[in-house]
Amino acid sequence: MKPKSTDPSALTHSYDRAALARFEVFLFASIATVLITRAYLAATGYPQIGGGALHIAHVLWGGLLMAVAIVMTVIAEGSRIRNGVALIGGIGFGLFIDEIGKFVTSDVNYFYQPAIAIMYVVFVLFYLVAREVVIRRGMNDRHRLAIGARALSDLALGQLDTVQYNHALRVLDGVRDPALADLAGSIRAGLHSHTPTGDSIESRITQWRNSVSARLDLFIGHRIVRRVVLAIFVLDALSAVVSVVVAFATDEEIIAQDISDLVVLLSSITTGILVILGVWFLFRGRYLRALRLLRASIVVNLLVTQVFLFAQDQFGALTGFVLSLFLLAVLRVTIRREEADLQPAPDPALEIRH
């Protein structure tokens, strides 16, 4: 049983999925580069490139690849270049940030233990902030026109495939401002004037990604999955209350011994409070507010608690990280559906006939 939310502030917006996909290529390429680089160096005994007194650190290769990505955006045109830039820039950034330990320690220590935690913070902040910016920015009519114009440019360059072509037409159909209707019609006419090229590799990857994303959305948005996730939060809230009561009842030492333990304790308490409040609003019928509080608890866990767990346990903390990401994904899908249910239906009088 799901109570109906009445939060009037709930809004949902369409957003530029292509921009988000390019960012995800950049981020995942960075993460994969760090993992592959560290695995390769460990397997080969950390070889020194250059020999003698020289050591060509891979941070230099990372800087070179990021420079190549920047130059590509300056001198080249077309969406295929943007996709290539996302991949090349992501690899370069991964090589760069992998050596962060050398630049935050006086002894230039590549194996500085908290380096993994620093990289973790950067990647998670990138993911949360960039995704939130893209989604919150939404896609207004002028943004839709810009996407259509880029598709027209790709068509002129011979880079427009059928997937991008159909996407651009759907985006242009969303233009609702009568003052921009003629411009949207001109761009649409230009797209109809030539046949797009066949499906490119990028198009096939996009189709595969969209198919996987749709299946994941169906899975994590399923009623049973959502109930299981909410049950996990209820148990987490009960566990937090019981642990505090037991600690005080048995006079257990609860003051942290060092700063990292103190931060983990405080962040865990904050997370527990947010979970308890979320569950309380859930049972009071404030479903959307409850979901947002539970989402906030996951964000605190990702940005604070998991950071210090990574610093203490390196890659051993991946299990908790993956679980937190899964819970966050379920909450995002659920919140999006709740906000969509609250979005008022469009006024037929404002529809533009094409």
Side-chain angles (χ1 to χ4, degrees):
M1 181 179 69
K2 178 178 79 74
K4 186 68 177 177
S5 173
T6 56
D7 189 347
S9 65
L11 293 173
T12 185
H13 304 279
S14 59
Y15 57 91
D16 189 351
R17 293 182 180 273
L20 190 58
R22 288 192 297 271
F23 164 72
E24 289 174 348
V25 168
F26 167 84
L27 187 64
F28 294 152
S30 298
I31 295 172
T33 299
V34 170
L35 296 177
I36 293 172
T37 300
R38 295 216 163 211
Y40 169 76
L41 292 177
T44 56
Y46 299 93
Q48 179 173 314
I49 300 177
L54 294 177
H55 171 53
I56 304 176
H58 53 266
V59 67
L60 298 178
W61 300 112
L64 178 62
L65 288 176
M66 287 190 286
V68 169
I70 293 172
V71 171
M72 287 173 64
T73 62
V74 172
I75 67 174
E77 302 289 344
S79 295
R80 290 184 187 176
I81 294 299
R82 292 157 68 91
N83 294 331
V85 163
L87 178 61
I88 295 171
I91 295 172
F93 184 72
L95 291 172
F96 160 76
I97 200 171
D98 181 60
E99 297 218 79
I100 191 69
K102 290 185 176 181
F103 303 103
V104 296
T105 56
S106 58
D107 58 347
V108 196
N109 184 9
Y110 176 75
F111 302 100
Y112 180 56
Q113 188 175 8
I116 299 296
I118 295 172
M119 286 184 271
Y120 169 88
V121 170
V122 172
F123 288 139
V124 171
L125 280 176
F126 261 21
Y127 177 77
L128 294 176
V129 173
R131 183 180 178 87
E132 196 68 18
V133 167
V134 171
I135 293 177
R136 290 290 178 184
R137 179 184 62 189
M139 198 156 49
N140 58 31
D141 284 351
R142 293 190 179 277
H143 193 178
R144 292 176 183 275
L145 290 175
I147 291 175
R150 283 201 298 268
L152 195 57
S153 173
D154 287 342
L155 182 63
L157 294 168
Q159 297 182 9
L160 187 68
D161 58 41
T162 53
V163 172
Q164 295 169 321
Y165 173 80
N166 292 328
H167 172 69
L169 291 178
R170 285 194 299 269
V171 168
L172 288 171
D173 285 340
V175 175
R176 292 291 177 263
D177 187 348
L180 301 176
D182 290 342
L183 182 55
S186 298
I187 296 175
R188 188 180 297 102
L191 290 173
H192 283 309
S193 64
H194 290 81
T195 302
T197 60
D199 291 343
S200 63
I201 294 177
E202 293 91 343
S203 174
R204 291 169 188 166
I205 293 175
T206 300
Q207 288 178 305
W208 176 82
R209 176 191 176 276
N210 291 342
S211 175
V212 172
S213 178
R215 292 177 185 275
L216 284 176
D217 274 5
L218 286 176
F219 170 72
I220 63 181
H222 194 277
R223 182 177 65 254
I224 295 177
V225 175
R226 286 185 291 175
R227 288 181 178 179
V228 169
V229 168
L230 292 177
I232 291 174
F233 279 112
V234 171
L235 292 175
D236 192 16
L238 292 175
S239 174
V241 173
V242 170
S243 61
V244 171
V245 171
V246 170
F248 280 102
T250 58
D251 294 327
E252 182 180 330
E253 181 70 31
I254 59 172
I255 302 300
Q257 299 299 316
D258 56 45
I259 185 63
S260 63
D261 289 339
L262 178 60
V263 173
V264 170
L265 176 65
L266 292 176
S267 64
S268 298
I269 291 174
T270 303
T271 300
I273 291 173
L274 289 171
V275 170
I276 291 171
L277 287 173
V279 172
W280 184 70
F281 278 112
L282 183 66
F283 284 106
R284 284 180 59 86
R286 308 289 294 277
Y287 196 63
L288 190 55
R289 177 169 293 186
L291 292 173
R292 287 171 173 167
L293 285 168
L294 295 178
R295 180 180 60 182
S297 74
I298 295 297
V299 172
V300 171
N301 178 269
L302 283 171
L303 294 183
V304 184
T305 308
Q306 292 295 329
V307 172
F308 286 90
L309 292 179
F310 263 74
Q312 295 168 4
D313 197 20
Q314 296 288 291
F315 291 105
L318 280 174
T319 303
F321 169 65
V322 171
L323 176 60
S324 295
L325 279 185
F326 172 72
L327 295 176
L328 182 62
V330 174
L331 289 173
R332 281 190 181 279
V333 171
T334 308
I335 290 173
R336 188 168 68 240
R337 292 185 177 185
E338 284 298 302
E339 291 177 339
D341 289 342
L342 293 172
Q343 185 74 0
D347 187 351
L350 297 178
E351 294 289 328
I352 299 178
R353 301 297 180 184
H354 301 294

